[in-house]
Structures are given as C-alpha cells and as structure tokens.
Amino acid sequence: MMNIAIIDDEPEILENTRKCVENEVTPQDEATLFTYTQAKDFLREKEQGCEFDILVSDIDMPEMGGLELGKRIQEDGGGGKIYLVFLTAYLEYAAESYIIEAYQYILKEDMEKRLPPILRQLIDRVKREKKQFRLIGTPTSKVQVYYRDIIYIEKEKGAKYICYITVHGIYKERISLKKLSGELVSDEFLLVERGYILNVSHVAGMKDGMVQMDNGAKIFVNRISAKKIKEQISLYRGNL
C-alpha cells in the first residue's frame, strides 16, 4: 500500500491534478489518493501518523506555499521518506525548488504530458522500496524495518549489538557491521569508518568532515569516507 497526496488551493486545478494522477494509478499499485486545499491540513494529518509516499503540490499557495512545506518535510527526520513533485505556473520557482531536492518541477501547462510518466517512475520505485526490508529481533519476535526508513546504523566499540536508527525508532541486532553491510543489497547504504553504515538518502548535508543526517544527527568522517559518501549520493540519485 502507498499513499499519494495532492495539494492545490484552487479546487478546479486540484480536481484536474487528481484526475491526472488517478488515470496513472492501477489497482495493482494499491495506492490511496488524498487531496488538500491547504498545506497545513496535509501537515496536520501527517503529524497525526498518516504516512505519505508521494506528494504532488502547488508551489504558490497562501499561508504556506509548496517550498516552505517542502522545507518543513525535510526538517522532519521522523516523517519517513516522501518524494516531492512541485507544480506551478511560474518559471522563477524552478531554481529554488531544486534547493530542497524536489524530485521534479513541472509547469502546470505541461502537467498532463509530464506528470504521468514521472508519477509512474515514482510509484514503481516506492513499490520496489517496500519490498526491501530487514527483519530485526529474536527468532520468535521480529520487526519488519524498511530500508528506506533506516537513517543510519551504528555500533559502539566493544558493543555486542548494532543499533538501527530509523524514522520510527531504534532497533537492535546482534551482528557485525561488515556482515550486515554485505546483506544490505541497496545503493542507499555505505559502510564508513568509526562504526557506521549510512543511508545516503537521509544525508541532509556535509561540511568540514561532518555528515548531517536528516534527523539532526551529526557523524564525523575522514576525507576518504567523505569522498565515498558524495560518490554514493550521486550514484543513488542517478538511479532514481
């Protein structure tokens, strides 16, 4: 199952966008559509526990525009991954939308042509991601944790257990980082020194040998690891 949200303050455009999205969704996608005329209503539902996978949002809206909403979502490290697609009638928003790593920026006049193939790519990616998970726990009690929800994994020196830091909490498992790294078959993950495996899709920034994750955690790495992280981010985003 996946949830797709659409936000536009103009009811007519919202309905047109909904139809465009609905025409691309198939029963096999098992997707539920949510529509909102205000960004704050979307945020309220998200904060109440509703998890969204894809958000198609207008940029120019009163009270809270799409770019501000995108920044709020980015700052919320506990909200899970959401793919952002921005719609607007104004070209000047394009450059700024890329700053917050929107998946795509689409002019409304091109929506019927550009949105369906982009949406299909995202739906297929979310479906693949939801098939990638790890069962963590004891043989009699295991928790299913999606790769996409793992922010980073750490093991303190001398500790018997590793810790999965995820968007939904912390989980532990008795396994070496090296062995786990070999089992996490995904271009999202990278083993770095000092006992960490990072999920590059959750890297918010890098500066002066410090990696900041989107949950606010800061991890220090050497120059070689910093270079590998940048290369892995490029590889991961290139495969989106």
Side-chain angles (χ1 to χ4, degrees):
M1 293 292 294
M2 75 177 74
N3 292 332
I4 302 173
I6 307 166
I7 309 174
D8 199 299
D9 61 306
E10 298 184 47
E12 184 177 346
I13 296 177
L14 179 64
E15 178 61 15
N16 290 340
T17 307
R18 184 194 64 77
K19 289 179 179 178
C20 190
V21 172
E22 198 172 57
N23 288 340
E24 188 57 39
V25 173
T26 69
Q28 291 74 28
D29 295 328
E30 298 183 314
T32 302
L33 304 186
F34 296 79
T35 59
Y36 305 91
T37 56
Q38 296 185 77
K40 65 179 183 180
D41 293 333
F42 164 82
L43 277 179
R44 185 184 302 113
E45 199 149 328
K46 181 175 176 294
E47 289 166 357
Q48 290 174 350
C50 187
E51 296 185 5
F52 296 93
D53 301 287
I54 300 170
L55 170 61
V56 181
S57 176
D58 183 21
I59 287 182
D60 189 28
M61 296 184 290
E63 294 189 35
M64 184 188 300
L67 295 179
E68 182 183 347
L69 173 62
K71 291 173 185 175
R72 290 276 295 272
I73 291 172
Q74 266 197 341
E75 291 166 359
D76 180 12
K81 182 191 291 184
I82 302 177
Y83 289 108
L84 303 175
V85 179
F86 284 133
L87 301 175
T88 185
Y90 306 101
L91 270 172
E92 61 266 27
Y93 284 120
E96 191 174 353
S97 71
Y98 290 130
I99 293 174
I100 61 171
E101 297 174 8
Y103 185 81
Q104 281 288 351
Y105 167 91
I106 302 173
L107 285 174
K108 289 183 178 180
E109 63 187 45
D110 299 329
M111 181 182 70
E112 292 185 6
K113 178 182 178 181
R114 293 195 59 209
L115 182 57
I118 289 169
L119 192 63
R120 175 43 51 193
Q121 289 176 3
L122 288 178
I123 289 173
D124 290 343
R125 182 165 188 90
V126 170
K127 287 165 69 175
R128 289 196 302 271
E129 288 177 341
K130 287 183 179 290
K131 292 178 182 178
Q132 292 183 304
F133 60 85
R134 186 170 182 84
L135 293 174
I136 303 171
T138 66
T140 57
S141 178
K142 290 185 178 292
V143 177
Q144 179 175 289
V145 178
Y146 291 111
Y147 284 6
R148 60 183 281 171
D149 291 337
I150 299 172
I151 301 171
Y152 64 93
I153 303 162
E154 66 176 341
K155 185 175 184 180
E156 295 182 1
K157 189 175 181 180
K160 294 182 179 179
Y161 292 87
I162 64 166
C163 291
Y164 294 82
I165 312 302
T166 80
V167 299
H168 299 298
I170 299 175
Y171 304 93
K172 293 184 177 182
E173 183 178 21
R174 191 164 185 171
I175 187 174
S176 72
L177 276 181
K178 186 175 181 180
K179 184 174 188 299
L180 176 61
S181 180
E183 295 178 1
L184 292 173
V185 184
S186 171
D187 56 11
E188 292 172 280
F189 297 104
L190 180 66
L191 176 64
V192 297
E193 91 289 358
R194 299 183 183 178
Y196 289 96
I197 295 176
L198 305 185
N199 186 334
V200 297
S201 72
H202 286 282
V203 172
M206 296 178 63
K207 186 177 181 181
D208 300 328
M210 183 182 69
V211 181
Q212 181 163 331
M213 309 305 290
D214 58 13
N215 69 335
K218 296 178 180 179
I219 300 168
F220 290 92
V221 298
N222 61 34
R223 284 189 293 177
I224 295 175
S225 291
K227 182 180 178 182
K228 288 181 180 178
I229 292 168
K230 291 177 182 178
E231 291 172 348
Q232 195 76 3
I233 289 173
S234 297
L235 173 65
Y236 171 74
R237 290 180 181 167
N239 289 334
L240 285 177

